[in-house]
Amino acid sequence: MPPIAPRPAPRPAPTASADASYRMLWRWHFYAGLFVMPFLIVLAVTGTLYCFQPQIEPLLYPHLLKVEPSGDRLPPQRLLDRARVAAPAGATVTNYTLNTDPRASAEFVFRLPAGGSDSVYLNPYTGAYLGSLSVEDRLMKQVRMLHRALLVGKPGELLMELAACWVLVMIATGLAMWWPRLRQRGARAFVPGPATGSRGGWKEIHLALGAWLAVGAVAFILSGLPWTGSWGKQFKALATAANLGRPADGQGDMHAHAAPPASGADHMKHHHTMESLPLADMPWAVGLTTVPSVAPAKTAPLTLDQIVAVVAAQDITTGCQVVFPKAPGGVYTASCFPADPRGERTLHIDPASGQVVKDLRFADYGPVAQAISYGTSLHMGRYFGLANQLICAAISLGLMAMAVTGLVMWIQRKPARKLGAPGHPAALPPMRAWAIGLGLLGAVFPMMGVTLLLVWLLDRRIAGAGGVRTAPTV
C-alpha cells in the first residue's frame, strides 16, 4: 500500500500587525486611485493618440500632408516665395520643415498679425498651394495640450503633474498589497486566478494588470515628469547647476567662425533661450540654452537655399525645423529632434556668412540629459518604430483598464451616499519604511509632499473622530 502523502500545511493566518498594515496600504491605495482615476484615463487616451501621430495626421489631412512625387523638388527659396504669396496679408514666416520623404508636402509656418500661427503647405514638385492649417487648432496639438494641461493652461499643467506623482503612490501601495500573493503563488500571481464573490473577476483582472504594468507605468511617469511646468523646470535647473543637464553656455560655440556679437541694447534684445523660439518640438537638454546673436548684416542675407545647404553639409537633412531670424542680429536656428536621441542637434547659423555660430550635439549633454533624451523617445513611441508605439499603447490602455476596473469595484462595494473608503485599522501599525519612503517621495516632489501631508492629516482626523475601523472585503 503506497504511503499516504502528507497534507499541505495550512496557510498561516495573517498576524494582527500584517492585517493592520494591509488595511493602511489599501486605504492609501484607495485615496491615490480615487484622485488619479479620471486623470489616468485622460493621460492614457491622449497619450495613445499622440503616440500614433505619424499615422493619424496623414489620415486627417491627406490633401495637405501627402503629394505624388513627380520630377525634381523645387528649391526651398522658390517654395518660400510662393508660400509668402499664399500666406495671409501681414503674416511673417517663422519656420521651415526639412523633410526628405518624397511623398511629403513642403511646410512653412507663418505668424499671423492677429496672433497664432498657420502652417502653409505646398506641393514641393510644382509649387502649388495645397492649403493651410492652424498650428494651435490642429487635432494633435489639442490632444497634446489635453495630455499636458487639460486645455486650461498652467492650473491644468500643475494638476496633471500632481496626478502623475500620485500614480507612483498608487503603484507602490498596489504592489505592496500584491506581494504576499506573489510569495504564495509564484509565477501564477501574474495571471488572474479563480473569481470569488461579485467583485472577484474584476479584482483578479485588476491585480494581474497591475503586476504586468507596474514597471512600464513607473517608466512612463519618470520619463514624462522632466517635461512638466513646475517640477520639470526645477529639475532642469538643478541638473544644469550640477553640469548634468543642458550644455553649459559657451559650449558648442564655434569661436573660430563666429561673427562679432551685437553690443549694448541690441545684444540684450536678442539674448533669449531656445524655449522662446516657435518650435513644435525640441530636445529637452537645449531648452534653456542661449540663442546667440550676431552683428547685424550689412549685406543681403543668405537665401533659404544656402541655409539649407549649410544644414545639409552637417549631414543632417531630416527631422529638423529651420527657424528664421526674428530681427536684425538674429540667427537661423536648425533644431533637430529625430527618433534616435543620438541624432539630436541644434545649429545656430549666421544669416550673412552662413557660418555655424553654435553647434550643440548629443555628446555635449550631461548624463542626466542624455538619459532623459532616451526616456523621451521611448515615452513618445519614437525610438524603435511601430513596436515602440504598440508597447506604449499597451501600457497606456492597460493603465486605463486598471482605472476602469478599480472604478467598477468601488461602485459595487461602496454603500449608498458614502465614500466607501477602506476601514481604518483599530491600531495604527508602525510602517516606518513606508513613512520614510513617502517622506522621501514628498521631498523629491514638493507639490506632492504637501498633498501627502494634507491627506495624512485628514486621515488622522477621520480616524480620531471615530471613523470606520473595520475593513470591508475587497
Side-chain angles (χ1 to χ4, degrees), residues 80 84 92-98 107-111 117 272-283 286 291-292 302-304 307-308 311 319-327 329-336 345-351:
L80 173 59
R84 281 178 167 144
T92 305
V93 66
T94 61
N95 301 58
Y96 170 60
T97 301
L98 294 176
E107 178 184 6
F108 293 88
V109 179
F110 285 81
R111 184 183 297 109
S117 298
H272 53 275
T273 65
M274 283 287 293
E275 287 183 349
S276 67
L277 298 182
L279 287 164
D281 292 298
M282 74 178 70
V286 302
V291 177
L302 299 181
T303 65
L304 182 59
I307 297 298
V308 170
V311 177
C320 305
Q321 283 188 301
V322 175
V323 181
F324 290 75
K326 196 173 182 180
V331 296
Y332 279 93
T333 296
S335 177
C336 306
R345 192 89 172 267
T346 304
L347 298 174
H348 300 291
I349 304 168
D350 187 327

Side-chain angles (χ1 to χ4, degrees), residues 29-40 158-167 170 451 455:
H29 187 74
F30 172 83
Y31 290 146
L34 193 63
F35 168 60
V36 162
M37 197 182 301
F39 302 106
L40 195 57
L158 294 175
L159 197 57
M160 292 299 266
E161 178 182 329
L162 185 61
C165 292
W166 271 90
V167 171
M170 184 185 71
T451 58
V455 172

Side-chain angles (χ1 to χ4, degrees), residues 100-399:
T100 55
D101 182 355
R103 297 178 60 84
S105 60
E107 178 184 6
F108 293 88
V109 179
F110 285 81
R111 184 183 297 109
L112 305 179
S117 298
D118 273 2
S119 289
V120 173
Y121 297 94
L122 303 175
N123 186 316
Y125 301 99
T126 66
Y129 171 66
L130 301 177
S132 62
L133 192 62
S134 169
V135 172
E136 290 78 19
D137 294 339
R138 65 196 302 167
L139 178 62
M140 282 300 153
K141 179 63 177 289
Q142 296 297 306
V143 167
R144 181 177 183 176
M145 295 313 297
L146 183 60
H147 186 79
R148 294 187 62 180
L150 297 173
L151 298 178
V152 293
K154 192 66 175 180
E157 193 171 5
L158 294 175
L159 197 57
M160 292 299 266
E161 178 182 329
L162 185 61
C165 292
W166 271 90
V167 171
L168 298 176
V169 177
M170 184 185 71
I171 293 170
T173 52
L175 283 177
M177 290 190 295
W178 171 81
W179 190 257
R181 172 181 288 226
L182 177 64
R183 296 179 64 182
Q184 294 166 6
R185 300 186 182 181
R188 289 183 294 115
F190 288 92
V191 295
T196 57
S198 60
R199 297 182 299 275
W202 295 105
K203 176 186 174 183
E204 292 298 325
I205 294 173
H206 189 83
L207 287 170
L209 283 173
W212 280 102
L213 298 174
V215 173
V218 170
F220 258 26
I221 298 302
L222 296 182
S223 59
L225 281 172
W227 292 89
T228 57
S230 176
W231 186 86
K233 287 186 175 181
Q234 297 171 21
F235 177 71
K236 184 181 289 189
L238 289 172
T240 299
N243 293 322
L244 300 173
R246 70 175 174 87
D249 282 334
Q251 191 167 358
D253 289 348
M254 312 296 287
H255 298 292
H257 304 292
S263 59
D266 286 337
H267 176 73
M268 294 304 295
K269 181 169 62 176
H270 299 304
H271 189 82
H272 53 275
T273 65
M274 283 287 293
E275 287 183 349
S276 67
L277 298 182
L279 287 164
D281 292 298
M282 74 178 70
W284 181 87
V286 302
L288 295 181
T289 58
T290 302
V291 177
S293 58
V294 295
K298 297 180 180 179
T299 59
L302 299 181
T303 65
L304 182 59
D305 295 346
Q306 293 170 304
I307 297 298
V308 170
V310 171
V311 177
Q314 303 294 322
D315 198 28
I316 43 176
T317 56
T318 191
C320 305
Q321 283 188 301
V322 175
V323 181
F324 290 75
K326 196 173 182 180
V331 296
Y332 279 93
T333 296
S335 177
C336 306
F337 190 50
D340 188 338
R342 293 170 296 181
E344 291 181 3
R345 192 89 172 267
T346 304
L347 298 174
H348 300 291
I349 304 168
D350 187 327
S353 66
Q355 293 175 332
V356 176
V357 178
K358 196 171 188 176
D359 181 2
L360 297 176
R361 310 178 185 219
F362 180 79
D364 298 323
Y365 301 172
V368 170
Q370 290 186 350
I372 289 172
S373 291
Y374 276 107
T376 298
S377 189
L378 290 167
H379 183 101
M380 297 177 67
R382 294 158 27 109
Y383 188 48
F384 50 92
L386 180 60
N388 196 168
Q389 292 176 303
L390 293 174
I391 290 173
C392 288
I395 294 173
S396 294
L397 297 179
L399 290 173

